[in-house]
Amino acid sequence: MRQICIMICLVHLFGKASMAQPGLEGIVIEAYYITDLNDSGSPEFPLPAAAKTYRVFVDMAPNWGLQAIFGATNGSTGEVDTLIIRSTQPFFNHEGLGSAFGYSISTNILDENTVLLDSWFSTGRSSNATQGVLKPDDTNGGAPAFPNVDGLLQNDDPAAGIPISSSDGNIPGTSTASWTLIGLFPSDLFVFDNIDLAGDELVILDGAMTSFTTLLQGPNASNRVLIGQFTTAGEFSGQLNLQMRNTLTGEIQQWVAETPGSGQFTSSTLKWAPNSLPIVSITTPSNGVKYTSGATVDVSVQATDSDGTITQVEFFFNGMAIGVDSTTPYEIAFTAASSGAITAVATDDAGGQTSSASVNIEVNPYRVRSVEQLCNLENVCIPIEVIGEGITDVIGFDIVLTFDNTKIIPTGNIFKSNDLVDLNYFNTDYNIDLFNERMLITVFLNSNAPIGTIFSGTGDIICIEFGKRPAFSAEDSCVIWMTSLLESFSGGGVVQRDSISSGVFSTLRNSTFLGSLAFWADNSPISYDPDNPTDFLITNITGINSTCDSSSATTIHPDLVGAFTHNLNDGVYLSIDRDIEGMTDVQAVINSFDAFLVRKILLDDPTFDPTIFQMIAMDVNIDGVISAGDLSQINQRSLLIIDEFRQAWNYHGDGSPMPNYERSKDWLFISDRTILFDPAYSQSSSFPLDDGIGYSKYRVPQAPFCIWTEIDILPFLCPDFGIETYFGILIGDVNGNYRYLTHDGLLRSSGHRSIHSGKARFVDNR
């Protein structure tokens, strides 16, 4: 019957709740004080070790007053709205001077020993003549509680905010308001007044503390009412149910912590619990992972908070902060410099922090450096080096190196470096064990080394030479491991290093082709200056396929000495295009003397012994024969009767352009290698007659429009090549007058013409 009676009384006294503007702004819990050793060590007035004092305020909107705090059965839902004040450890109750209600404590004893921290309920008063306020709202500093006559309660732990010795949260104020108990007995509150009970919770299922005749309001405009102070070394939690009334309208509101019924209100602040600390762990890297000094260490952390959110994760290495991440996934990267421990500290939205278990990494300052080189080199030198933070105080090394005996073999050459110590101060020795595919190497100071000589810093120690085996392909690789390195120190002792970063020896085919262009008559460079383009007739060089119908998008030009660099990935054939704009006056280079030399050939004049270059220059129609037709066109071109030579590959016999017409060639190019090794470019043995092989007026070799670089693209081959020279021939310039020209713009072109996609007729398919 007791529960039913209490609910009837509440309904009768409180009336019906409305749905107007909320009167409750929230419950404020202030961390008031944290006990230190000075407080807990006092034999006469002991406080629990590391106890915290909390003050609980009801924060209300203006014109609202508190009438009751209660626990009762909800009439509409049957749910029990329980009032709970709980701790995982007993509440502190001052022996002799404490009370279950703060207003029952005399103000003049607040400055004695630990009375100030007694646990109690209240109606806004913190003693019989003071009002309780948040410490920042205290207008009279430490009075009346300080100075403490026993020199206690001096701790200034920042977790408790303003020290109570500076602001004790008690201001002058008198009131007659006190709690009237309904459905409760004074003994129910002994948990806050009887030290023998050692109580740790108050649970009210059906009862109330009321103040109907005097509404409880705050002492200032914030309208916060202190309803309790609780000191405990345990975790503090609770939930409240409240009754409030508006002083202007008479409106009544009920606020419950759980399951509000019709017309009732709720707020998340009515229920509180100890902050659950975050859970945090490092997921990457794993414990014991080894890194080479200078490598990047990627750290990933998993962090969760059961009763809130993670605000940040801070990362530490050997106790030093290395970064913060405030968003998931929580991760950071840093450079490995030394061995040590990684930890992460997660912070939640309530300020709680948890540190992860540490993850240890081992950082090694040694590595076998990887080497990549062109495949035509038979030997390779593999360095053993110190990187990252470097080393010091080392006086020797014992190294075990392993390798793939099917691909490489040590030559026995070990090259010393002076990066870490003067190379005259140390020697090396070795033993090669081919059966076990390993090489034992010792590095030690010799008798030249002065006292105090050490290996220190970073750089190469030694470089071990290997030769390639036949099984090592043109484009291939193999791994060299340093399975062990033993450091010897100047002060004695050794350190064993293992799991050292391996190195890779790899080869690649040379894709850089070096060439040069020269004029046949005097080997002068056919050059170009991009900074002064109008001084030169431009030469366009492009990579192209073997059928001359698909060229690269990349065009290159020779430099001032005629040299160029071509990427073989753009094609192993070259198209070299150098043409004169139509109707350009060519008298300086193509004239009657060139026609005269052609006549000598036509008439078998023995006084003229032409070179292959002159023969190609005379065959201006590129039909493979020196004839009167060539002579006629030279005469016409020299006088600008025609703007280009009519050539067999782009004109019909009647002089009309072919359907796939492209402008005629003014220059042709022949490689030095072709001149030296192709019999077609040697003079006929029966010259001026034709021997069926070499050149004569009856047989002129046709220079290809697409010139093979002589580089084989088969992957298993490793071509060995140097610089190839291509000799330029100005068609029609039989006597080589071009050599006497200066870059005065006489034969320059303001634009340039690119190779079209139409298939050319002449291809070198050797």
Side-chain angles (χ1 to χ4, degrees), residues 401-434:
L401 206 65
T402 61
F403 51 89
D404 185 348
N405 190 28
T406 66
K407 289 191 172 184
I408 58 175
I409 185 172
T411 65
N413 293 323
I414 298 178
F415 302 98
K416 300 185 294 182
S417 168
N418 61 1
D419 288 349
L420 305 178
V421 68
D422 190 316
L423 57 82
N424 295 309
Y425 292 165
F426 72 98
N427 291 338
T428 65
D429 205 352
Y430 66 90
N431 178 47
I432 299 173
D433 182 358
L434 292 180

Side-chain angles (χ1 to χ4, degrees), residues 291-297 334-338 363-365 367 387-390:
Y291 291 90
T292 299
S293 183
T296 298
V297 181
F334 71 99
T335 301
S338 60
V363 176
N364 198 312
R367 74 173 178 184
I387 59 177
E389 294 295 299

Side-chain angles (χ1 to χ4, degrees), residues 90-418:
F91 290 101
F92 167 68
N93 294 310
H94 190 278
E95 183 177 355
L97 300 179
S99 173
F101 299 103
Y103 49 74
S104 298
I105 299 174
S106 178
T107 302
N108 62 4
I109 65 172
L110 291 180
D111 63 347
E112 297 184 18
N113 50 75
T114 57
V115 176
L116 183 65
L117 304 187
D118 187 43
S119 299
W120 37 255
F121 277 103
S122 187
T123 55
R125 289 185 286 169
S126 54
S127 69
N128 66 338
T130 57
Q131 294 284 318
V133 295
L134 292 173
K135 288 184 286 183
D137 297 335
D138 191 342
T139 57
N140 67 334
F146 290 90
N148 185 282
V149 296
D150 296 290
L152 301 177
L153 312 185
Q154 304 297 314
N155 191 16
D156 59 356
D157 192 320
I162 302 172
I164 58 175
S165 58
S166 301
S167 178
D168 68 351
N170 303 302
I171 62 175
T174 58
S175 171
T176 59
S178 60
W179 286 125
T180 298
L181 304 183
I182 298 177
L184 296 175
F185 300 103
S187 59
D188 292 336
L189 304 179
F190 275 2
V191 65
F192 303 119
D193 196 33
N194 190 329
I195 62 173
D196 296 330
L197 292 177
D200 57 8
E201 71 174 7
L202 170 68
V203 178
I204 300 176
L205 301 175
D206 190 34
M209 287 180 273
T210 67
S211 179
F212 297 121
T213 57
T214 305
L215 286 180
L216 306 181
Q217 292 184 294
N220 53 40
S222 62
N223 199 16
R224 298 188 188 99
V225 175
L226 174 65
I227 64 167
Q229 175 176 287
F230 309 97
T231 299
T232 176
E235 299 289 348
F236 179 53
S237 62
Q239 62 183 48
L240 295 174
N241 308 301
L242 310 174
Q243 175 79 26
M244 297 185 300
R245 182 167 68 86
N246 190 294
T247 60
L248 297 180
T249 66
E251 177 189 345
I252 292 174
Q253 290 182 357
Q254 287 183 353
W255 290 76
V256 296
E258 297 179 317
T259 61
S262 176
Q264 290 182 318
F265 297 86
T266 190
S267 167
S268 61
T269 64
L270 289 167
K271 187 174 183 178
W272 67 93
N275 177 45
S276 295
L277 295 178
I279 299 174
V280 58
S281 62
I282 298 175
T283 56
T284 303
S286 302
N287 194 54
V289 171
K290 296 177 172 62
Y291 291 90
T292 299
S293 183
T296 298
V297 181
D298 294 309
V299 185
S300 298
V301 164
Q302 185 177 54
T304 58
D305 186 44
S306 61
D307 61 349
T309 58
I310 300 296
T311 58
Q312 70 170 38
V313 173
E314 188 168 14
F315 299 81
F316 296 85
F317 184 66
N318 289 339
M320 300 293 293
I322 55 175
V324 175
D325 193 355
S326 57
T327 58
T328 184
Y330 305 104
E331 54 193 11
I332 195 175
F334 71 99
T335 301
S338 60
S339 300
I342 305 169
T343 54
V345 175
T347 303
D348 65 16
D349 53 348
Q353 292 186 326
T354 302
S355 181
S356 71
S358 62
V359 168
N360 295 297
I361 63 171
E362 181 179 332
V363 176
N364 198 312
Y366 301 96
R367 74 173 178 184
V368 179
R369 189 163 76 235
S370 295
V371 175
E372 182 183 66
Q373 67 184 30
L374 298 178
C375 58
N376 57 311
L377 301 176
E378 291 303 316
N379 294 337
V380 62
C381 198
I382 303 296
I384 306 298
E385 66 175 339
V386 178
I387 59 177
E389 294 295 299
I391 61 171
T392 188
D393 296 328
V394 178
I395 61 171
F397 308 91
D398 293 296
I399 299 169
V400 179
L401 206 65
T402 61
F403 51 89
D404 185 348
N405 190 28
T406 66
K407 289 191 172 184
I408 58 175
I409 185 172
T411 65
N413 293 323
I414 298 178
F415 302 98
K416 300 185 294 182
S417 168
N418 61 1

Side-chain angles (χ1 to χ4, degrees), residues 700-717:
V700 180
Q702 299 178 356
F705 291 178
C706 303
I707 309 172
W708 186 33
T709 59
E710 309 267 347
I711 304 301
D712 203 315
I713 61 174
L714 295 176
F716 57 85
L717 294 179

Side-chain angles (χ1 to χ4, degrees), residues 484-499:
S484 173
L485 184 145
L486 191 69
E487 297 171 309
S488 298
F489 289 92
S490 55
V494 295
V495 171
Q496 175 75 35
R497 303 277 192 175
D498 53 16
S499 299

Side-chain angles (χ1 to χ4, degrees), residues 472-491:
F472 204 105
S473 301
E475 292 181 284
D476 207 343
S477 65
C478 66
V479 180
I480 298 95
W481 296 270
M482 185 159 41
T483 54
S484 173
L485 184 145
L486 191 69
E487 297 171 309
S488 298
F489 289 92
S490 55

